[in-house]
Every structure is written in structure tokens, then in C-alpha cells.
């Protein structure tokens, strides 16, 4: 075999191996995407399947009959659901704004100001990652009750006005901002507050956007804490409210799935609108970690 034939044979083998690798990669990736998509499809599929079909048993990827009766019941016959959606949007928006403000100020003070105990405070904040969330429920409940905030928006917002994850991400990001910018600003007479507002925050727009999206989604999905501190139907959030609508039909799969779909549908819309920013934020967090 000549050198040219040997080179061509080697190239073909490499090409075939690369092709097989790509095919295997696509199969795995599309398989995972389908596996993640199936539960959501099942949720929407069951929500439009009438009970006459569900009672017959069997499994259907596409229901033989479709009904929007349960959706109509929730969206038309129960107008309070729009109040719950407004409550959830308000709470999630205010929580996101407060978390961004508080976390960024804490991170700025740790990375850009000089005061004793910075390392200790950062260590305590990082150590709070190790405390399970349910441990705080009873102390938080007694505190909110003593402050007279039960059954109000602030009972849900204030306990989560700052978080260790946000502080950690912002500290890592602020440390990478060149100190020369801050020194030049101080020579121009900028105060610390002005440096924070006019230099640090504008340069941190990508990480603040990423953190804001994650906080908003987390706040929207809250269920246990709002269920504990809210007793007035008019103040319920959407995830809590739709569960209370499962009255005598609580065991009907289409009723349960419709309530779940209604609670998650706004987040689907948010994901479709901001999917590029969410993906870039995940990549940014991976790089920061």
C-alpha cells in the first residue's frame, strides 16, 4: 500500500469515527431532551383529557378526545385566579429587586470597602449554605408573627431579602472588576456610594440579570412558606391558590394537572422570552464556581 493510500485510509477512519461520535452525541442529547419534555407533555395532555377517557384506563400520548372544560373552570368560573397571579407577580418582582439591592451592597462592602471582619462575615455567609432551609421555618414564623406581619406580602418577601448564593456570585464578579477604575473614580472625587451606583452596578449588569432571573423564578415557585404565613384567600399566591381549588374533584388527574399547568405556564412564557439570558447565566455561574 502506498503512502497516499495509507493516508486516505487513515483519514476515512478518522472521519468515520468523528461521524459516529457526532451521531452518538446527538442521540444522547435528543434523548435527554425528550426525557425532560415527557413530564410536561403528560401534564398538558392530562389537563385536556375528559374524565370519561381517563376512567377507561390505558395510556395515550395523544388523547382520543379533548376538552377544555377544566381550563374554562379555572380561567372563567374562578376569576380570583387573576388576583393570585397578580399577587405572585408582585411578590416575585419586589423580592427580586430587594435581593439584587441587598446582595450587591453586601458584596460591594466586602470586596471594595475596608473594614475589620470582612473575611469572617463572608465566611459566616458561606457557612449558611450548610443549614437546611426547613430548620429556619419555625424561627422565621415566630419572628414574622411577633412583628405582626402575618397574612401580608412582607411576610413572604422579608425573610428572603438576601441570600448567600447571590452574595457569593456577586463577590466573585466584583473581585474581577479592575481596581484601577475605582482608584480613578476616587481621584475624580467619587464617593463610595457613587462608585457603587455609577461604576460597579453598570459593569455588573450580566450577573445581576442572571441572578434576578433565578430569584424571580424561585420566588414564583414558592409554595410551603406562603402556605404557612397566608390565611386570606385574596392574598394567596398562584401555586397555593390553584391547589385550594381542588375541591371534590381533588383526585381527578385532569383537575390536578390543569392546576399545575396554570401555576407553571407563566414561567414557560418567561423562559421563552429570556432563554438566552438564562442559558448564559448558567454558563456564568459554572464559570464562577
Amino acid at each position: 500500500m502506498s503512502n497516499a493510500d495509507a493516508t486516505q485510509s487513515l483519514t476515512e477512519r478518522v472521519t468515520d469515527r468523528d461521524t459516529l461520535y457526532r451521531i452518538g452525541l446527538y442521540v444522547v442529547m435528543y434523548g435527554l431532551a425528550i426525557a425532560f419534555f415527557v413530564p410536561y407533555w403528560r401534564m398538558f395532555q392530562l389537563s385536556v383529557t375528559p374524565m370519561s377517557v381517563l376512567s377507561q384506563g390505558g395510556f395515550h400520548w395523544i388523547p382520543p378526545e379533548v376538552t377544555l372544560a377544566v381550563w374554562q373552570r379555572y380561567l372563567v368560573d374562578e376569576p380570583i385566579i387573576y388576583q393570585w397571579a397578580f399577587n405572585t407577580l408582585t411578590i416575585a418582582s419586589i423580592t427580586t429587586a430587594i435581593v439584587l439591592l441587598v446582595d450587591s451592597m453586601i458584596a460591594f462592602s466586602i470586596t471594595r470597602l475596608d473594614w475589620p471582619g470582612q473575611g469572617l462575615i463572608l465566611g459566616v455567609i458561606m457557612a449558611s449554605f450548610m443549614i437546611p432551609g426547613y430548620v429556619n421555618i419555625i424561627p422565621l414564623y415566630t419572628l414574622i408573627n411577633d412583628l405582626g406581619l402575618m397574612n401580608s406580602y412582607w411576610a413572604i418577601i422579608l425573610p428572603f431579602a438576601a441570600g448567600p448564593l447571590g452574595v457569593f456570585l456577586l463577590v466573585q464578579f466584583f473581585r474581577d472588576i479592575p481596581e484601577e477604575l475605582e482608584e480613578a473614580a476616587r481621584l475624580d472625587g467619587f464617593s463610595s456610594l457613587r462608585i457603587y451606583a455609577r461604576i460597579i452596578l453598570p459593569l455588573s449588569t450580566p450577573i445581576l440579570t442572571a441572578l434576578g432571573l433565578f430569584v424571580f423564578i424561585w420566588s414564583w415557585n414558592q409554595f410551603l412558606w406562603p402556605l404557612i404565613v397566608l390565611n386570606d384567600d385574596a392574598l394567596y399566591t398562584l401555586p397555593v391558590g390553584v391547589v385550594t381549588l381542588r375541591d371534590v374533584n381533588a383526585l381527578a388527574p385532569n383537575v390536578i394537572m390543569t392546576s399545575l399547568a396554570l401555576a407553571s405556564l407563566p414561567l414557560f412564557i418567561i423562559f421563552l422570552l429570556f432563554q438566552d439570558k438564562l442559558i448564559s447565566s448558567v454558563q456564568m455561574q459554572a464559570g464562577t464556581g
Side-chain angles (χ1 to χ4, degrees), residues 84-85 87-88 91 156 220 222-223 226 230 235-242:
W84 294 338
N87 294 341
T88 312
I91 291 171
I156 305 174
W220 185 285
Q222 274 202 97
F223 179 77
L230 296 179
L235 291 174
Y236 280 169
T237 59
L238 193 57
V240 175
V242 293

Side-chain angles (χ1 to χ4, degrees), residues 78-140:
E78 302 285 354
I80 195 172
I81 200 169
Y82 298 104
Q83 177 64 40
W84 294 338
F86 174 78
N87 294 341
T88 312
L89 179 64
T90 302
I91 291 171
S93 301
I94 296 176
T95 301
T96 302
I98 293 178
V99 167
L100 291 181
L101 177 64
V102 174
D103 282 1
S104 62
M105 294 186 76
I106 294 173
F108 177 79
S109 67
I110 290 175
T111 57
R112 296 292 169 173
L113 301 181
D114 187 19
W115 49 278
Q118 288 169 293
L120 177 63
I121 295 298
L122 182 60
V124 171
I125 293 173
M126 294 299 100
S128 65
F129 273 120
M130 307 299 172
I131 302 175
Y134 57 83
V135 174
N136 297 326
I137 290 179
I138 294 178
L140 281 178

